[in-house]
Structure formats: C-alpha cells, structure tokens
Amino acid sequence: MKVTEDNFIPLLCQKHEKALEYCMLHYGGLVKAVIHRYLGNLPEYEEECQNDVFFAVWNHIDAYDPQRNPFSNWIAGVARLKALDCKRKYASHMLETSWEAMEEKGQPVIHQELSAELQAIETEFSDETRQMLSCLKPKDQELFLRLYIEEENVDEISQSTGLAKPVIYNRLSRGRKRIRSLFAANRERSLRL
C-alpha cells in the first residue's frame, strides 16, 4: 500500500512503519526547526530530541484529533514539549558535566559562566511561562504555577486556598482550553504572514 498524506495517519494508528517513515520525511523539517528554536544552545541534543518526538508520535498518534487542528500543528506542539523537556533535563546535566570536565583538565571552575548559562535557560522558561499564562486571570495563573512549576499536588493547593478539588480541576481545564485556543489562533496568524 502506498503511503500518502491522506492515509498516513490511519496507517500510523495501525503501526505501519512506512507511515512513520512518511511522517519523518514530510514533517522532519518542521520538527527540526521547532526543536532548534528551543535547543539552539544545546545542539548536541537536537537529534536525540527529534527521535523522541517521532517515538512519541508513534506511541501516541491516537491522541491526535484532526477536528481540532492540522497534523502539522499537532506535531509542532509535540516537538515543542519534547524540546522543553530535553532542555530542562540537560540544564542540570550541563552544569555537572562542565564542572567535571574542567576539574579533569585541571582548569579552574568558572562558576559565574556556568551560572549565567543556567540563568539564561531559566529566564527563557520563566518568560515563556509568563507569556503563556498571561491570558489567564491572576488566581488561575497562581493555580497553574503551583501545580505545574512548583509541583504541589491538588490536595495541598486545595488546603491552602480553600478551594474544593473539583473547582481547581475545573479552573485548570478551562485554563488549558483558553491557552490552547489562543496559541492555535496565534499559530494560524503567523502562518498567514
């Protein structure tokens, strides 16, 4: 069976390897561009991240809903999330590796340089997070930050805020929908330009 734009998604759902090859050939450039945007200062991890993206597509193609957005938007979102995960994962690894490498070479450890690099990565995460959450009300922003950034659980948030768990889940759900709709609109607008 010939794999085409019209049938590669159903074939991916059926785990046909040729469909994954088609996806990699036709969407690889987009995935690479998205990953490079986030991992430009960590180029040694870009290829690994690309592999993670296509592995996620292979394992979670059933999560794609063609009614909600085009496949290119969906795979770009997967690439973005994987790149951010990779950046978080290797930011601390970079610090450890740099210290060890410098000590092995007998070079003095330049803490300020490493600290500045990690600070730049942290600032990038903070700016992106603030931008993404800016469409929400301040109380909902606080919920997102506490749950996803500070990694508090819903029980702790419920106790400290006095909000019932169903209310918290409802606010989080509405917030995610709002963020998705705004970013989809921005994406469509940027594609038209």
Side-chain angles (χ1 to χ4, degrees):
M1 172 180 269
K2 183 172 171 68
V3 180
T4 65
E5 186 70 25
D6 296 327
N7 70 0
F8 87 95
I9 293 172
L11 291 173
L12 261 176
C13 291
Q14 297 169 10
K15 302 299 184 197
H16 286 273
E17 290 180 19
K18 293 285 184 191
L20 183 61
E21 288 176 22
Y22 178 91
C23 181
M24 292 169 79
L25 283 172
H26 287 83
Y27 294 95
L30 171 65
V31 168
K32 187 174 183 174
V34 170
I35 289 171
H36 182 72
R37 178 173 183 257
Y38 292 97
L39 296 182
N41 59 346
L42 297 169
E44 63 272 19
Y45 299 114
E46 287 184 25
E47 187 175 336
E48 177 186 342
C49 188
Q50 288 175 36
N51 293 337
D52 290 346
V53 170
F54 288 109
F55 187 69
V57 168
W58 179 258
N59 286 323
H60 303 288
I61 188 62
D62 53 316
Y64 169 63
D65 180 3
Q67 304 302 321
R68 293 181 68 189
N69 53 28
F71 184 78
S72 58
N73 287 7
W74 183 76
I75 197 169
V78 171
R80 180 183 168 278
L81 292 174
K82 288 295 179 184
L84 289 172
D85 286 346
C86 185
K87 198 168 204 175
R88 285 185 196 104
K89 177 181 171 184
Y90 288 113
S92 61
H93 177 69
M94 271 180 14
L95 179 61
E96 292 170 13
T97 304
S98 298
W99 279 82
E100 291 167 4
M102 287 182 189
E103 288 173 350
E104 286 175 11
K105 293 177 183 177
Q107 295 176 346
V109 177
I110 305 168
H111 181 66
Q112 291 88 358
E113 289 178 20
L114 296 173
S115 181
E117 193 169 333
L118 287 176
Q119 184 63 38
I121 291 171
E122 189 62 38
T123 300
E124 186 178 335
F125 284 136
S126 298
D127 291 345
E128 189 166 310
T129 302
R130 268 194 295 280
Q131 178 188 5
M132 183 173 53
L133 296 179
S134 66
C135 64
L136 303 176
K137 295 177 183 174
K139 288 183 180 181
D140 291 341
Q141 288 179 22
E142 180 185 351
L143 286 177
F144 272 78
L145 290 172
R146 290 179 70 176
L147 185 69
Y148 297 113
I149 305 299
E150 297 169 16
E151 298 181 359
E152 291 183 38
N153 65 42
V154 175
D155 291 327
E156 293 170 335
I157 296 171
S158 177
Q159 269 187 330
S160 65
T161 61
L163 295 172
K165 285 196 274 188
V167 172
I168 293 172
Y169 287 123
N170 190 16
R171 284 185 170 186
L172 291 169
S173 176
R174 279 186 287 148
R176 283 191 295 268
K177 286 178 186 173
R178 178 143 176 83
I179 290 168
R180 271 190 224 113
S181 68
L182 288 174
F183 276 87
N186 287 341
R187 171 84 175 140
E188 287 176 21
R189 199 176 7 228
S190 68
L191 289 174
R192 279 187 254 133
L193 299 175

